[in-house]
Amino acid sequence: MKLGQKLGKVGVAAWVVLGALGSAQANQKFCVYDMLGATGDLYNMTKDYAVAMQRNGVTIELKGYTDERVATEDFRTGQCDAVIGTAFRIRQFNSVAGSIDTLGSTTIVRNGKIDIAASYDVVRKLIQTYASPAATKLMTEGNYEVSGLIPLGAAYPIVNDRSINTIEKLAGKRIAAFDHDKAQAVMIQRIGAQPVSADITNFSTKFNNGAVDMIAAPTLAYKPLELAKGIGKNGGITRFPIMILTYQMVINRTKFPDGFGVKSREYWSSQFDRAMQLIKQADAGIPPATWMDLSAENAYKYTLMLRESRIDIAQKGLYDKRGLKVIKKIRCNVNPADPECTTKSEEDWK
């Protein structure tokens, strides 16, 4: 064989080897939704996550999005290997994890008062439970696996008129309802209010412009979305968590090493306190006079109403019953004295 042919064959072989190595070492693309894009707190947390995951042989390339719908669609169509967004949109990839962000599922009431610290403790224990290798089956649907959960904060009712201080006074009022979370419209209609179609890109604008009378949002959204405009002089924020929102990460398992999902969930579980610090700072940034508190009677009454609504919505197939079973167990672990813990509600599903 001539030298040129030998070199040619060596060159081809080397190209094949290098190509294979390049393929194995290709960066995993992560679509990250943050309302502030690449300048937001969540995006900054994912930068640290990317560094940590290099120890697991995964090199991550981040891309920030301010439109959550586009981020999840890019993931669904294979343009990204993973996506981070709110549970409302991530639920399409795993409904069990999506159950965290359901009406009142993590809310604790003690002695007639909302116990917000205990409510966040439910979320903490739930995230720790799902970080376990034993939860991998629940965290997996087909090629999709939930690989991280992090608290975003309680979704509080925010109104443009402080006189709207009871459920009864919401009758006939206009409330923003996300198109991609059908449960919101069901709940709004149950209380006799009017759902107004919205999504995460425009719900705050509709509130600030007076197109809706109420929205539900975490305090982390207060300054970035300029909600003080919609609240004005007459509005306020009711200190009643309709639900506690989470960011969730989902990966396409075929693009990652075996066991990566567990390592990733463990990492995000370790970041719970960091996320809570951001939430507490945002809570403290709300002007004290903006807050409105419920009476003990209404706090308990509304929690019961959310429970009844949650059960009804689950029976309609809009919430995952497996996820709600897990949450009830943890809720009753945190607050065993609650009367619901002596019942089989959310356990004996048919």
Side-chain angles (χ1 to χ4, degrees):
M1 184 181 291
K2 293 182 179 179
L3 179 60
Q5 290 176 317
K6 286 184 178 181
L7 290 174
K9 289 195 173 184
V10 169
V12 170
W15 181 86
V16 170
V17 170
L18 290 172
L21 288 172
S23 175
Q25 295 173 356
N27 294 358
Q28 272 81 11
K29 297 180 180 178
F30 277 58
C31 296
V32 182
Y33 165 71
D34 187 308
M35 68 180 75
L36 295 179
T39 62
D41 290 323
L42 176 69
Y43 192 88
N44 283 331
M45 290 179 77
T46 60
K47 287 181 182 177
D48 295 337
Y49 164 80
V51 172
M53 290 303 104
Q54 284 182 340
R55 294 193 292 270
N56 294 304
V58 174
T59 302
I60 292 172
E61 179 184 324
L62 300 173
K63 182 179 180 182
Y65 290 75
T66 55
D67 188 328
E68 187 180 27
R69 182 193 62 80
V70 177
T72 51
E73 187 62 14
D74 280 1
F75 171 66
R76 192 188 64 79
T77 57
Q79 296 179 57
C80 304
D81 304 312
V83 65
I84 306 176
T86 65
F88 294 132
R89 285 207 184 266
I90 300 301
R91 191 178 290 151
Q92 64 184 296
F93 306 112
N94 186 287
S95 56
V96 173
S99 298
I100 299 176
D101 296 37
T102 54
L103 296 164
S105 66
T106 53
T107 303
I108 297 293
V109 176
R110 279 199 180 105
N111 303 317
K113 293 183 178 180
I114 300 295
D115 189 333
I116 193 65
S119 300
Y120 278 116
D121 197 32
V122 173
V123 178
R124 180 196 295 271
K125 289 177 181 293
L126 194 56
I127 289 174
Q128 289 172 342
T129 298
Y130 286 156
S132 165
T136 298
K137 187 175 180 181
L138 279 178
M139 294 295 95
T140 304
E141 288 186 16
N143 287 333
Y144 300 126
E145 181 178 355
V146 174
S147 56
L149 303 107
I150 199 89
L152 172 58
Y156 294 112
I158 303 176
V159 295
N160 58 12
D161 185 344
R162 295 178 76 89
S163 69
I164 308 173
N165 57 4
T166 67
I167 292 293
E168 291 76 16
K169 290 181 181 178
L170 280 171
K173 301 299 183 183
R174 300 159 301 167
I175 303 176
F178 289 172
D179 297 330
H180 53 281
D181 183 27
K182 302 303 180 186
Q184 292 187 19
V186 171
M187 176 61 192
I188 292 167
Q189 289 166 341
R190 277 178 67 97
I191 62 176
Q194 176 187 344
V196 175
S197 175
D199 63 37
I200 208 159
T201 63
N202 64 21
F203 81 109
S204 59
T205 303
K206 292 190 175 189
F207 177 67
N208 290 344
N209 291 342
V212 296
D213 303 300
M214 184 191 122
I215 58 172
T219 55
L220 281 167
Y222 178 79
K223 288 182 179 178
L225 300 184
E226 301 180 320
L227 299 182
K229 290 181 180 178
I231 293 171
K233 295 180 179 179
N234 300 319
I237 302 174
T238 303
R239 211 187 308 261
F240 178 76
I242 297 174
M243 61 184 69
I244 293 179
L245 304 171
T246 57
Y247 277 121
Q248 301 190 3
M249 175 187 290
V250 175
I251 62 171
N252 179 338
R253 299 176 75 215
T254 67
K255 304 291 185 179
F256 293 83
D258 289 344
F260 175 81
V262 173
K263 293 184 176 70
S264 180
R265 290 196 300 275
E266 288 173 345
Y267 173 87
W268 284 111
S269 180
S270 76
Q271 299 300 298
F272 188 92
D273 288 336
R274 179 180 176 184
M276 283 304 305
Q277 190 60 36
L278 294 171
I279 292 167
K280 288 174 181 177
Q281 288 173 1
D283 287 351
I286 304 296
T290 300
W291 288 107
M292 305 189 305
D293 288 297
L294 295 175
S295 66
E297 177 187 357
N298 280 337
Y300 189 67
K301 183 172 77 172
Y302 296 162
T303 302
L304 286 177
M305 182 201 69
L306 290 183
R307 185 181 305 159
E308 291 168 359
S309 299
R310 185 171 67 245
I311 291 170
D312 178 54
I313 291 169
Q315 296 288 23
K316 288 181 167 65
L318 296 176
Y319 287 158
D320 190 293
K321 294 177 179 179
R322 297 167 300 166
L324 294 182
K325 280 185 182 181
V326 175
I327 299 171
K328 185 189 175 182
K329 287 180 181 177
I330 293 175
R331 205 164 54 236
C332 287
N333 174 269
V334 172
N335 188 29
D338 193 293
E340 74 157 333
C341 300
T342 63
T343 73
K344 292 292 184 181
S345 68
E346 298 183 84
E347 294 175 23
D348 57 349
W349 297 104
K350 295 180 181 178

